Every structure is written in structure tokens, then in C-alpha cells.
């Protein structure tokens, strides 16, 4: 699993430890020393997850988290709060404003990695390397292979990402613009009909084993992955 992680932390020692450990686990790390810098980075691109220190110079971590949760474009970012204090009251306040998890300093790198993995698995399962299998269709992110009834299927890179996203979010309808944000990335300017082109290619790749029927068109709304006939 390789995620882009925004670390908002003012202490250089902790910045270094986080950069080193997250890097070791294959994550890309961006560091902001305060909330203002973090907001300016967020205007450019969205990370897959944020590690947010509670006590920051200027705007506090908790105020930044509140601001993120109130912003239509930013509100979906998973947030793990870091704090030096283990007061129950703080923890409740952090989770109340919508942080996904909470970790107290000093923490072990192993504990932090486990928390990150758990949050990503819950909030962004398409980021993990777990094998997904639905209705005889199996996708293995590690080997980058797809099988329909055990037969290997040949997918292009975009169709693979699209299928991975859909299979990790089954039984839900996604509009073309939501799929563009999730699969192509926000701030990528692609026309919505591009989604239709890749859905068509994906269906034709799955046709051999009849799994194209799992990619359903929902008229006027978008697409849904479902093992239940439409
Ligand atoms: Ca701090």
C-alpha cells in the first residue's frame, strides 16, 4: 500500500521520524509545519491521509481539522490526530470534530503504521493490497492481476484502477464526476465521457467470463458494481 500522507507537525524531530518511517513503508510524505502551510498545500492536491498534530503554532490542529470537515472538497480526507496529551476529554473532542483516529506521543512507529493501515482500510479500501473477490471475479492488487472464474483477464492500467475502486465500493452508485475524482484524482481535468470510454473497455475485458454484467449502468446517475442483477 502506497499512500500520499500529509504530515502537519511543527517539531523537526518528529517530522524526521515520521518521514523516515512512512517512507520505509512506501508512502510519499509531504510535511507542513503549520496549519496555514497545510491549507496552501491542500489547495494544490489532496493527500490520501493526514497526520495532524494537535498543538501547532498559529491555528491549532483541532481548528484545522474542523475547517477541513466543513469544506466540501476537503472533508473526505482521513485524519489521524497526534497529541502529546492523553486526556480522555481531548480524545473525545478530536473524534467529535470528525478525526478518524487519535494517537498519543510518544508512539511506536509500529503502532502508527497499524493505525494508518486500519484507517485506510476503512476509509479508502482501494488503497490497500487486500485481494478482493466478488461473484467469481478476483482482483489482486499486489500482483496486479484479475481473474474471472480463475481465468486471467487482461486489463489496461486505468481499467484496473477503475475496477479496484468499484469492487472495493460495491452496491453504491457513483456519478461520472465522483469516479473521476476517485480514480483519476481531483484536479485532473478530464471530460466526463472519458469515464464512459474506460467503462466500455472494462466491460469488454470482463466479457469473456460474463463478469461485464457486474458493471451496471444506472440511468441518469452513473455506475454501480453489483453481483446482484440490475
Ligand atoms: Ca506540536
Amino acid at each position: 500500500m502506497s499512500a500520499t500522507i500529509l504530515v502537519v507537525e511543527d517539531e523537526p524531530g518528529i517530522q524526521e521520524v515520521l518521514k523516515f518511517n512512512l517512507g520505509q513503508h512506501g508512502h510519499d510524505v509531504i510535511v507542513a509545519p503549520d496549519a496555514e502551510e497545510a491549507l496552501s498545500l491542500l489547495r494544490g492536491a489532496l493527500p490520501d491521509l493526514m497526520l495532524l498534530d494537535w498543538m501547532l503554532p498559529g491555528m491549532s490542529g483541532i481548528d484545522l481539522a474542523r475547517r477541513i470537515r466543513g469544506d466540501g472538497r476537503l472533508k473526505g480526507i482521513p485524519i489521524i490526530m497526534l497529541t502529546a496529551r492523553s486526556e480522555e476529554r481531548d480524545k473525545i473532542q478530536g473524534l467529535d470534530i470528525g478525526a478518524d483516529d487519535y494517537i498519543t506521543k510518544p508512539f511506536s512507529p509500529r503502532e502508527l503504521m497499524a493505525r494508518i493501515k486500519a484507517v485506510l482500510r476503512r476509509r479508502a479500501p482501494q488503497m490497500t493490497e487486500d485481494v478482493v473477490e466478488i461473484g467469481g471475479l478476483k482482483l489482486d492488487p499486489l500482483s496486479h492481476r484479475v481473474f474471472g472464474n480463475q481465468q486471467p483477464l487482461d486489463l489496461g492500467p486505468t481499467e484496473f484502477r477503475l475496477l479496484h475502486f468499484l469492487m472495493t465500493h460495491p452496491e453504491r452508485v457513483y456519478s461520472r464526476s465522483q469516479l473521476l475524482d476517485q480514480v483519476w484524482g481531483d484536479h485532473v481535468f478530464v471530460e466526463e465521457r472519458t469515464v464512459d470510454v474506460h467503462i466500455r473497455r472494462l466491460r469488454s475485458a470482463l466479457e469473456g467470463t460474463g463478469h461485464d454484467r457486474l458493471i451496471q449502468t444506472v440511468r441518469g446517475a452513473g455506475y454501480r458494481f453489483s453481483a446482484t442483477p440490475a
Side-chain angles (χ1 to χ4, degrees), residues 9-11 53 55-56 105:
E9 166 66 73
D10 57 313
E11 288 160 66
D53 186 27
M55 302 293 280
L56 291 168
K105 296 179 198 172

Side-chain angles (χ1 to χ4, degrees), residues 177-210:
S177 97
Q178 285 172 322
L179 288 173
L180 279 177
D181 280 352
Q182 296 289 341
V183 179
W184 279 259
D186 86 317
H187 275 215
V188 175
F189 297 99
V190 189
E191 287 182 67
E192 294 198 354
R193 64 171 180 212
T194 304
V195 175
D196 301 324
V197 171
H198 289 278
I199 288 277
R200 198 149 58 230
R201 286 189 197 153
L202 175 59
R203 279 179 174 146
S204 91
L206 303 180
E207 222 166 33
T209 53

Side-chain angles (χ1 to χ4, degrees), residues 41 56-57 94-95 126 131 160 173 187 189 194 200 208 210 212-213:
L41 288 167
L56 291 168
L95 297 175
Q126 75 280 10
V131 170
F160 185 90
V173 181
H187 275 215
F189 297 99
T194 304
R200 198 149 58 230
D212 52 315
R213 68 187 158 76

Side-chain angles (χ1 to χ4, degrees), residues 62-98:
I62 200 84
D63 286 338
L64 177 58
R66 199 174 281 129
R67 191 147 156 189
I68 287 170
R69 287 298 180 250
D71 181 300
R73 178 171 160 263
L74 306 178
K75 67 181 178 200
I77 304 171
I79 297 175
I80 299 178
M81 299 288 305
L82 308 173
T83 178
R85 300 182 303 174
S86 62
E87 287 177 31
E88 195 62 19
R89 194 162 47 90
D90 289 355
K91 179 173 177 172
I92 291 166
Q93 198 189 349
L95 297 175
D96 256 7
I97 57 102

